[in-house]
PDB file of all heavy atoms in Angstrom:
ATOM      1  N   HIS A1129      -5.536  -8.849  18.567  1.00 41.00           N
ATOM      2  CA  HIS A1129      -5.114  -7.490  18.237  1.00 41.00           C
ATOM      3  C   HIS A1129      -3.847  -7.499  17.454  1.00 41.00           C
ATOM      4  O   HIS A1129      -3.661  -6.748  16.505  1.00 41.00           O
ATOM      5  CB  HIS A1129      -4.935  -6.698  19.579  1.00 41.00           C
ATOM      6  CG  HIS A1129      -4.423  -5.298  19.367  1.00 41.00           C
ATOM      7  ND1 HIS A1129      -5.194  -4.273  18.851  1.00 41.00           N
ATOM      8  CD2 HIS A1129      -3.279  -4.769  19.580  1.00 41.00           C
ATOM      9  CE1 HIS A1129      -4.543  -3.159  18.740  1.00 41.00           C
ATOM     10  NE2 HIS A1129      -3.277  -3.465  19.177  1.00 41.00           N
ATOM     11  N   ARG A1130      -2.851  -8.359  17.886  1.00 38.00           N
ATOM     12  CA  ARG A1130      -1.604  -8.463  17.209  1.00 38.00           C
ATOM     13  C   ARG A1130      -1.807  -8.873  15.682  1.00 38.00           C
ATOM     14  O   ARG A1130      -1.211  -8.276  14.790  1.00 38.00           O
ATOM     15  CB  ARG A1130      -0.687  -9.398  17.899  1.00 38.00           C
ATOM     16  CG  ARG A1130       0.723  -9.526  17.298  1.00 38.00           C
ATOM     17  CD  ARG A1130       1.558 -10.382  18.214  1.00 38.00           C
ATOM     18  NE  ARG A1130       2.899 -10.659  17.538  1.00 38.00           N
ATOM     19  CZ  ARG A1130       3.125 -11.629  16.751  1.00 38.00           C
ATOM     20  NH1 ARG A1130       2.177 -12.491  16.340  1.00 38.00           N
ATOM     21  NH2 ARG A1130       4.326 -11.771  16.192  1.00 38.00           N
ATOM     22  N   SER A1131      -2.654  -9.890  15.497  1.00 37.00           N
ATOM     23  CA  SER A1131      -2.944 -10.383  14.138  1.00 37.00           C
ATOM     24  C   SER A1131      -3.549  -9.281  13.311  1.00 37.00           C
ATOM     25  O   SER A1131      -3.240  -9.110  12.147  1.00 37.00           O
ATOM     26  CB  SER A1131      -3.832 -11.618  14.206  1.00 37.00           C
ATOM     27  OG  SER A1131      -3.218 -12.624  14.938  1.00 37.00           O
ATOM     28  N   PHE A1132      -4.429  -8.470  13.870  1.00 39.00           N
ATOM     29  CA  PHE A1132      -5.094  -7.440  13.202  1.00 39.00           C
ATOM     30  C   PHE A1132      -4.090  -6.355  12.810  1.00 39.00           C
ATOM     31  O   PHE A1132      -4.079  -5.881  11.660  1.00 39.00           O
ATOM     32  CB  PHE A1132      -6.154  -6.821  14.062  1.00 39.00           C
ATOM     33  CG  PHE A1132      -6.871  -5.625  13.415  1.00 39.00           C
ATOM     34  CD1 PHE A1132      -7.814  -5.856  12.439  1.00 39.00           C
ATOM     35  CD2 PHE A1132      -6.593  -4.354  13.833  1.00 39.00           C
ATOM     36  CE1 PHE A1132      -8.414  -4.773  11.853  1.00 39.00           C
ATOM     37  CE2 PHE A1132      -7.241  -3.250  13.287  1.00 39.00           C
ATOM     38  CZ  PHE A1132      -8.164  -3.500  12.265  1.00 39.00           C
ATOM     39  N   VAL A1133      -3.130  -6.014  13.718  1.00 36.00           N
ATOM     40  CA  VAL A1133      -2.101  -5.038  13.423  1.00 36.00           C
ATOM     41  C   VAL A1133      -1.225  -5.561  12.262  1.00 36.00           C
ATOM     42  O   VAL A1133      -0.934  -4.778  11.302  1.00 36.00           O
ATOM     43  CB  VAL A1133      -1.230  -4.708  14.717  1.00 36.00           C
ATOM     44  CG1 VAL A1133      -0.031  -3.916  14.274  1.00 36.00           C
ATOM     45  CG2 VAL A1133      -2.060  -4.010  15.711  1.00 36.00           C
ATOM     46  N   ILE A1134      -0.875  -6.834  12.281  1.00 37.00           N
ATOM     47  CA  ILE A1134      -0.022  -7.350  11.202  1.00 37.00           C
ATOM     48  C   ILE A1134      -0.679  -7.290   9.856  1.00 37.00           C
ATOM     49  O   ILE A1134      -0.122  -6.930   8.810  1.00 37.00           O
ATOM     50  CB  ILE A1134       0.432  -8.765  11.528  1.00 37.00           C
ATOM     51  CG1 ILE A1134       1.447  -8.839  12.711  1.00 37.00           C
ATOM     52  CG2 ILE A1134       1.002  -9.486  10.331  1.00 37.00           C
ATOM     53  CD1 ILE A1134       1.774 -10.199  13.208  1.00 37.00           C
ATOM     54  N   LEU A1135      -2.001  -7.636   9.896  1.00 38.00           N
ATOM     55  CA  LEU A1135      -2.801  -7.537   8.679  1.00 38.00           C
ATOM     56  C   LEU A1135      -2.822  -6.113   8.150  1.00 38.00           C
ATOM     57  O   LEU A1135      -2.639  -5.914   6.943  1.00 38.00           O
ATOM     58  CB  LEU A1135      -4.165  -8.097   8.955  1.00 38.00           C
ATOM     59  CG  LEU A1135      -5.192  -7.936   7.811  1.00 38.00           C
ATOM     60  CD1 LEU A1135      -4.687  -8.746   6.574  1.00 38.00           C
ATOM     61  CD2 LEU A1135      -6.550  -8.364   8.208  1.00 38.00           C
ATOM     62  N   ILE A1136      -3.063  -5.128   9.007  1.00 39.00           N
ATOM     63  CA  ILE A1136      -3.128  -3.741   8.580  1.00 39.00           C
ATOM     64  C   ILE A1136      -1.820  -3.275   8.029  1.00 39.00           C
ATOM     65  O   ILE A1136      -1.723  -2.678   6.930  1.00 39.00           O
ATOM     66  CB  ILE A1136      -3.619  -2.830   9.702  1.00 39.00           C
ATOM     67  CG1 ILE A1136      -5.033  -3.207  10.106  1.00 39.00           C
ATOM     68  CG2 ILE A1136      -3.469  -1.366   9.387  1.00 39.00           C
ATOM     69  CD1 ILE A1136      -6.038  -2.960   8.947  1.00 39.00           C
ATOM     70  N   LEU A1137      -0.714  -3.652   8.657  1.00 42.00           N
ATOM     71  CA  LEU A1137       0.631  -3.291   8.199  1.00 42.00           C
ATOM     72  C   LEU A1137       0.873  -3.888   6.805  1.00 42.00           C
ATOM     73  O   LEU A1137       1.430  -3.217   5.928  1.00 42.00           O
ATOM     74  CB  LEU A1137       1.726  -3.695   9.202  1.00 42.00           C
ATOM     75  CG  LEU A1137       1.773  -2.946  10.518  1.00 42.00           C
ATOM     76  CD1 LEU A1137       2.775  -3.576  11.436  1.00 42.00           C
ATOM     77  CD2 LEU A1137       2.141  -1.474  10.224  1.00 42.00           C
ATOM     78  N   GLY A1138       0.450  -5.194   6.577  1.00 46.00           N
ATOM     79  CA  GLY A1138       0.593  -5.791   5.316  1.00 46.00           C
ATOM     80  C   GLY A1138      -0.138  -5.036   4.180  1.00 46.00           C
ATOM     81  O   GLY A1138       0.344  -4.857   3.190  1.00 46.00           O
ATOM     82  N   LEU A1139      -1.379  -4.701   4.574  1.00 42.00           N
ATOM     83  CA  LEU A1139      -2.178  -3.928   3.568  1.00 42.00           C
ATOM     84  C   LEU A1139      -1.540  -2.562   3.247  1.00 42.00           C
ATOM     85  O   LEU A1139      -1.509  -2.097   2.099  1.00 42.00           O
ATOM     86  CB  LEU A1139      -3.601  -3.745   4.130  1.00 42.00           C
ATOM     87  CG  LEU A1139      -4.445  -4.993   4.145  1.00 42.00           C
ATOM     88  CD1 LEU A1139      -5.750  -4.691   4.865  1.00 42.00           C
ATOM     89  CD2 LEU A1139      -4.618  -5.629   2.824  1.00 42.00           C
ATOM     90  N   VAL A1140      -1.021  -1.891   4.301  1.00 45.00           N
ATOM     91  CA  VAL A1140      -0.366  -0.597   4.084  1.00 45.00           C
ATOM     92  C   VAL A1140       0.910  -0.753   3.135  1.00 45.00           C
ATOM     93  O   VAL A1140       1.140  -0.008   2.250  1.00 45.00           O
ATOM     94  CB  VAL A1140       0.040   0.071   5.428  1.00 45.00           C
ATOM     95  CG1 VAL A1140       0.959   1.213   5.162  1.00 45.00           C
ATOM     96  CG2 VAL A1140      -1.251   0.489   6.115  1.00 45.00           C
ATOM     97  N   LEU A1141       1.599  -1.805   3.412  1.00 54.00           N
ATOM     98  CA  LEU A1141       2.848  -2.016   2.573  1.00 54.00           C
ATOM     99  C   LEU A1141       2.475  -2.347   1.174  1.00 54.00           C
ATOM    100  O   LEU A1141       3.120  -1.851   0.269  1.00 54.00           O
ATOM    101  CB  LEU A1141       3.638  -3.248   3.212  1.00 54.00           C
ATOM    102  CG  LEU A1141       5.040  -3.509   2.624  1.00 54.00           C
ATOM    103  CD1 LEU A1141       5.922  -2.171   2.843  1.00 54.00           C
ATOM    104  CD2 LEU A1141       5.707  -4.638   3.275  1.00 54.00           C
ATOM    105  N   TYR A1142       1.420  -3.154   0.972  1.00 51.00           N
ATOM    106  CA  TYR A1142       0.987  -3.410  -0.452  1.00 51.00           C
ATOM    107  C   TYR A1142       0.494  -2.159  -1.129  1.00 51.00           C
ATOM    108  O   TYR A1142       0.715  -1.919  -2.308  1.00 51.00           O
ATOM    109  CB  TYR A1142      -0.239  -4.373  -0.414  1.00 51.00           C
ATOM    110  CG  TYR A1142       0.156  -5.836  -0.420  1.00 51.00           C
ATOM    111  CD1 TYR A1142      -0.517  -6.719   0.340  1.00 51.00           C
ATOM    112  CD2 TYR A1142       1.201  -6.265  -1.256  1.00 51.00           C
ATOM    113  CE1 TYR A1142      -0.154  -8.108   0.310  1.00 51.00           C
ATOM    114  CE2 TYR A1142       1.492  -7.607  -1.287  1.00 51.00           C
ATOM    115  CZ  TYR A1142       0.809  -8.473  -0.496  1.00 51.00           C
ATOM    116  OH  TYR A1142       1.199  -9.787  -0.489  1.00 51.00           O
ATOM    117  N   ALA A1143      -0.279  -1.316  -0.393  1.00 52.00           N
ATOM    118  CA  ALA A1143      -1.060  -0.246  -1.021  1.00 52.00           C
ATOM    119  C   ALA A1143      -0.157   0.691  -1.644  1.00 52.00           C
ATOM    120  O   ALA A1143       0.766   1.261  -1.129  1.00 52.00           O
ATOM    121  CB  ALA A1143      -1.911   0.465   0.026  1.00 52.00           C
ATOM    122  N   ALA A1144      -0.469   1.013  -2.941  1.00 51.00           N
ATOM    123  CA  ALA A1144       0.202   2.107  -3.656  1.00 51.00           C
ATOM    124  C   ALA A1144      -0.791   3.002  -4.309  1.00 51.00           C
ATOM    125  O   ALA A1144      -1.815   2.479  -4.753  1.00 51.00           O
ATOM    126  CB  ALA A1144       1.245   1.584  -4.732  1.00 51.00           C
ATOM    127  N   PRO A1145      -0.556   4.308  -4.337  1.00 49.00           N
ATOM    128  CA  PRO A1145      -1.568   5.099  -5.044  1.00 49.00           C
ATOM    129  C   PRO A1145      -1.790   4.646  -6.423  1.00 49.00           C
ATOM    130  O   PRO A1145      -0.865   4.222  -7.126  1.00 49.00           O
ATOM    131  CB  PRO A1145      -0.863   6.547  -4.991  1.00 49.00           C
ATOM    132  CG  PRO A1145       0.078   6.484  -3.886  1.00 49.00           C
ATOM    133  CD  PRO A1145       0.584   5.020  -3.885  1.00 49.00           C
ATOM    134  N   SER A1146      -3.042   4.757  -6.927  1.00 52.00           N
ATOM    135  CA  SER A1146      -3.401   4.307  -8.245  1.00 52.00           C
ATOM    136  C   SER A1146      -2.699   5.248  -9.277  1.00 52.00           C
ATOM    137  O   SER A1146      -2.489   6.400  -9.018  1.00 52.00           O
ATOM    138  CB  SER A1146      -4.863   4.342  -8.455  1.00 52.00           C
ATOM    139  OG  SER A1146      -5.385   5.607  -8.208  1.00 52.00           O
ATOM    140  N   ILE A1147      -2.411   4.669 -10.385  1.00 57.00           N
ATOM    141  CA  ILE A1147      -1.651   5.403 -11.489  1.00 57.00           C
ATOM    142  C   ILE A1147      -2.499   5.385 -12.722  1.00 57.00           C
ATOM    143  O   ILE A1147      -2.895   4.332 -13.234  1.00 57.00           O
ATOM    144  CB  ILE A1147      -0.285   4.684 -11.723  1.00 57.00           C
ATOM    145  CG1 ILE A1147       0.526   4.562 -10.470  1.00 57.00           C
ATOM    146  CG2 ILE A1147       0.442   5.489 -12.759  1.00 57.00           C
ATOM    147  CD1 ILE A1147       1.770   3.776 -10.600  1.00 57.00           C
ATOM    148  N   ALA A1148      -2.747   6.535 -13.249  1.00 53.00           N
ATOM    149  CA  ALA A1148      -3.497   6.654 -14.556  1.00 53.00           C
ATOM    150  C   ALA A1148      -2.505   6.206 -15.619  1.00 53.00           C
ATOM    151  O   ALA A1148      -1.271   6.209 -15.539  1.00 53.00           O
ATOM    152  CB  ALA A1148      -3.850   8.087 -14.812  1.00 53.00           C
ATOM    153  N   ALA A1149      -3.081   5.648 -16.674  1.00 54.00           N
ATOM    154  CA  ALA A1149      -2.236   5.013 -17.727  1.00 54.00           C
ATOM    155  C   ALA A1149      -1.294   5.986 -18.418  1.00 54.00           C
ATOM    156  O   ALA A1149      -0.229   5.612 -18.854  1.00 54.00           O
ATOM    157  CB  ALA A1149      -3.253   4.400 -18.809  1.00 54.00           C
ATOM    158  N   ASP A1150      -1.641   7.318 -18.430  1.00 64.00           N
ATOM    159  CA  ASP A1150      -0.776   8.234 -19.102  1.00 64.00           C
ATOM    160  C   ASP A1150       0.112   8.961 -18.101  1.00 64.00           C
ATOM    161  O   ASP A1150       0.888   9.899 -18.532  1.00 64.00           O
ATOM    162  CB  ASP A1150      -1.629   9.258 -19.894  1.00 64.00           C
ATOM    163  CG  ASP A1150      -2.613  10.016 -19.005  1.00 64.00           C
ATOM    164  OD1 ASP A1150      -2.789   9.617 -17.827  1.00 64.00           O
ATOM    165  OD2 ASP A1150      -3.175  11.016 -19.511  1.00 64.00           O
ATOM    166  N   GLU A1151       0.114   8.635 -16.878  1.00 89.00           N
ATOM    167  CA  GLU A1151       1.008   9.313 -15.885  1.00 89.00           C
ATOM    168  C   GLU A1151       2.499   8.793 -16.165  1.00 89.00           C
ATOM    169  O   GLU A1151       2.720   7.594 -16.469  1.00 89.00           O
ATOM    170  CB  GLU A1151       0.557   8.902 -14.431  1.00 89.00           C
ATOM    171  CG  GLU A1151      -0.452   9.811 -13.984  1.00 89.00           C
ATOM    172  CD  GLU A1151      -0.574   9.765 -12.432  1.00 89.00           C
ATOM    173  OE1 GLU A1151       0.079  10.486 -11.764  1.00 89.00           O
ATOM    174  OE2 GLU A1151      -1.336   8.946 -11.882  1.00 89.00           O
ATOM    175  N   THR A1152       3.404   9.636 -15.902  1.00 93.00           N
ATOM    176  CA  THR A1152       4.777   9.371 -16.116  1.00 93.00           C
ATOM    177  C   THR A1152       5.685  10.264 -15.245  1.00 93.00           C
ATOM    178  O   THR A1152       5.169  11.207 -14.616  1.00 93.00           O
ATOM    179  CB  THR A1152       5.173   9.438 -17.571  1.00 93.00           C
ATOM    180  OG1 THR A1152       6.483   8.941 -17.788  1.00 93.00           O
ATOM    181  CG2 THR A1152       5.138  10.895 -18.044  1.00 93.00           C
ATOM    182  N   ILE A1153       6.910  10.023 -15.291  1.00 96.00           N
ATOM    183  CA  ILE A1153       7.914  10.919 -14.714  1.00 96.00           C
ATOM    184  C   ILE A1153       8.742  11.521 -15.792  1.00 96.00           C
ATOM    185  O   ILE A1153       9.316  10.852 -16.602  1.00 96.00           O
ATOM    186  CB  ILE A1153       8.894  10.129 -13.747  1.00 96.00           C
ATOM    187  CG1 ILE A1153       8.102   9.466 -12.584  1.00 96.00           C
ATOM    188  CG2 ILE A1153       9.857  11.129 -13.083  1.00 96.00           C
ATOM    189  CD1 ILE A1153       8.961   8.578 -11.673  1.00 96.00           C
ATOM    190  N   PRO A1154       8.764  12.816 -15.943  1.00 96.00           N
ATOM    191  CA  PRO A1154       9.521  13.502 -17.037  1.00 96.00           C
ATOM    192  C   PRO A1154      10.943  13.079 -17.036  1.00 96.00           C
ATOM    193  O   PRO A1154      11.619  13.015 -15.924  1.00 96.00           O
ATOM    194  CB  PRO A1154       9.322  15.018 -16.754  1.00 96.00           C
ATOM    195  CG  PRO A1154       8.074  15.072 -15.911  1.00 96.00           C
ATOM    196  CD  PRO A1154       8.047  13.889 -15.063  1.00 96.00           C
ATOM    197  N   ALA A1155      11.541  12.725 -18.243  1.00 96.00           N
ATOM    198  CA  ALA A1155      12.906  12.439 -18.305  1.00 96.00           C
ATOM    199  C   ALA A1155      13.732  13.568 -17.811  1.00 96.00           C
ATOM    200  O   ALA A1155      13.433  14.780 -18.158  1.00 96.00           O
ATOM    201  CB  ALA A1155      13.289  12.059 -19.719  1.00 96.00           C
TER     202      ALA A1155
END
């Protein structure tokens, strides 16, 4: 169970919402 929790936390930390090529933050 502990190993499974560590794995899930690692995946959560890695995961970032996908970004479209033209997405940006306005200056």
Side-chain angles (χ1 to χ4, degrees):
H1129 176 71
R1130 181 174 177 273
S1131 298
F1132 178 74
V1133 170
I1134 290 174
L1135 175 62
I1136 293 300
L1137 287 175
L1139 292 174
V1140 169
L1141 191 58
Y1142 272 139
S1146 60
I1147 304 171
D1150 58 349
E1151 277 198 87
T1152 188
I1153 303 176

